[in-house]
């Protein structure tokens, strides 16, 4: 399948219209094939304090787009025979052996728990079938945080990981803090901080020089602000920043990066694990990232319980999907044009991407705004897909 002629002009029109309508404060969109970048553009503002325009080299908080990178790093450990996907992890990370399953709350609001029916494995963590949830979409997790005075996950403090499971591992799909625990597993296996492992084994080999937990001065100078909407619909810049001296480097949400860097990661997936300097992941492990690993456990829409941070989430509305070792995997074609078998995920500040192995392309649509999954930002992601695959937008 070839990309539709004129898609570049259509993406340009979609981006410009979204900024003009204040759907987003600013946006970078970029498309790649297996060989290199075939389109990139930036529109709108990186910050309204200044102000500064958004540029293709702007640094953004990629938030949960961190998760697939951490999943790939964990699969490098599998490739090297350090750990197996179905190996119980308690011997490697003793804290995972202490995790219990939430059964309810007593009359004083204290969480009640029991031992899990089976051991947690890397398979459970990578596919989000572990039982861990998120405070953004689970009232029970939110209630546990309140009862135990736990910090929020955005604080990057170890106490945020002390939540019980919502169900036995392998029972269903639930989006949550599994990737933060995957980062802890990597640290235990490697004996290194997560950031060092990522740089030496994934980011540097893929030439992703502008992706990091800690912002260098040159990255800080290009950093786009996270924005919130004013009452009149305009945008204001905030000072939201991932802690730069965290208790732990958050494998679920902690990275900053650029559009160009993330396309390098997408190209690695399109090239069966090969980067510009050679293979970083085996074709077999890439295959587990491309194909559903959850069987009959479908990805379900998530209802927000913290609307100021995140709206209800249905990344590809109406499209059945499962989860691989790192990505949402579509089980049917989408109305926006994505073929079945496409891969996708997103980040809290309304950053989005997809990988289309059938066509051999990947793309990112990066803004910096809250709440996550705001219908106007999510609609922009879908309109960019339509510009790439479908008829010219009006």
């Amino acid at each position: 399948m070839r990309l539709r002629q004129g898609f570049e002009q259509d993406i340009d029109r979609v981006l410009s219209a979204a900024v003009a309508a204040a759907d987003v404060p600013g946006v970078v969109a970029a498309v790649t094939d297996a060989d290199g970048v075939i389109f990139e553009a930036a529109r709108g503002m990186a910050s309204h304090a200044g102000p500064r325009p958004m540029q293709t080299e702007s640094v953004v908080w990629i938030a949960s787009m961190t998760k697939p990178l951490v999943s790939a790093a964990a699969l490098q450990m599998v490739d090297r025979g350090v750990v197996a996907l179905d190996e119980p992890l308690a011997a490697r990370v003793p804290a995972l052996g202490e995790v219990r399953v939430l059964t309810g709350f007593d009359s004083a609001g204290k969480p009640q728990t029991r031992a899990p029916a089976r051991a947690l494995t890397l398979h459970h963590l990578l596919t989000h079938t572990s039982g861990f949830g998120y405070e953004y979409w689970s009232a029970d997790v939110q209630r546990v945080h309140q009862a135990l005075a736990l910090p929020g996950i955005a604080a990057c403090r170890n106490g945020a990981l002390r939540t019980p499971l919502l169900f036995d591992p392998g029972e269903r799909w639930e989006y949550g803090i599994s990737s933060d625990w995957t980062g802890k597993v990597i640290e235990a296996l490697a004996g290194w901080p997560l950031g060092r492992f990522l740089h030496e084994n994934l980011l540097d080999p893929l030439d992703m020089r502008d992706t990091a937990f800690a912002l260098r001065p040159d990255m800080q100078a290009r950093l786009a602000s996270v924005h919130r909407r004013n009452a009149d619909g305009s945008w204001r810049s905030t000072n939201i920043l991932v802690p730069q001296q965290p208790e732990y480097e958050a494998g679920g949400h902690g990275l900053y990066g650029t559009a160009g860097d993330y396309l390098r990661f997408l190209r690695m997936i399109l090239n069966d694990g090969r980067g510009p300097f050679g293979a970083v992941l085996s074709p077999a492990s890439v295959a587990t990232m491309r194909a559903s690993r959850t069987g009959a456990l479908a990805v379900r829409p998530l209802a927000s319980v913290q609307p100021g941070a995140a709206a209800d989430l249905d990344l590809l509305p109406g499209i059945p999907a499962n989860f691989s070792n790192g990505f949402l995997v579509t089980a049917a074609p989408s109305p926006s044009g994505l073929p079945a078998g496409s891969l996708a995920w997103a980040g809290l500040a309304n950053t989005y991407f997809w990988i289309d192995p059938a066509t051999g392309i990947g793309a990112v649509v990066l803004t910096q705004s809250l709440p996550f999954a705001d219908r106007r930002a999510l609609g922009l992601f879908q309109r960019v897909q339509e510009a790439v695959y479908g008829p010219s937008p009006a």
Side-chain angles (χ1 to χ4, degrees), residues 30 64 68 76 136 150 171 203 210 219 243 270 292 307 336 339 381 386:
S64 287
Q76 289 179 319
Y136 306 116
L150 301 181
E171 292 296 315
L203 302 178
D210 279 339
M219 293 174 67
L270 290 170
S292 171
S336 59
F381 177 54
E386 293 166 357

Side-chain angles (χ1 to χ4, degrees), residues 208-281:
M208 296 175 66
R209 305 291 177 171
D210 279 339
T211 300
F213 289 112
L215 291 160
R216 302 185 310 264
D218 65 296
M219 293 174 67
Q220 182 77 51
R222 290 178 283 134
L223 181 64
S225 300
V226 176
H227 291 76
R228 286 192 179 275
R229 197 182 295 277
N230 294 314
D232 64 1
S234 63
W235 292 99
R236 69 181 185 276
S237 301
T238 75
N239 60 0
I240 292 171
L241 191 70
V242 176
Q244 294 294 283
Q245 293 182 316
E247 283 189 6
Y248 79 98
E249 292 175 319
H253 66 270
L255 285 174
Y256 287 86
T258 62
D261 265 19
Y262 214 80
L263 291 189
R264 291 178 174 90
F265 174 64
L266 302 189
R267 283 197 292 275
M268 183 272 288
I269 300 297
L270 290 170
N271 284 300
D272 295 322
R274 296 187 305 278
F277 310 117
V280 298
L281 203 57

Side-chain angles (χ1 to χ4, degrees), residues 4 20 25 61 63 74 81 105 145 204 216 246-247 296 300 347:
R4 187 175 53 80
W61 178 34
F105 298 86
H145 273 259
D204 291 350
R216 302 185 310 264
E247 283 189 6
R300 61 183 182 83

Side-chain angles (χ1 to χ4, degrees), residues 339-352:
S342 293
L343 316 174
W345 205 239
L348 192 71
N350 285 300
T351 60
Y352 301 90

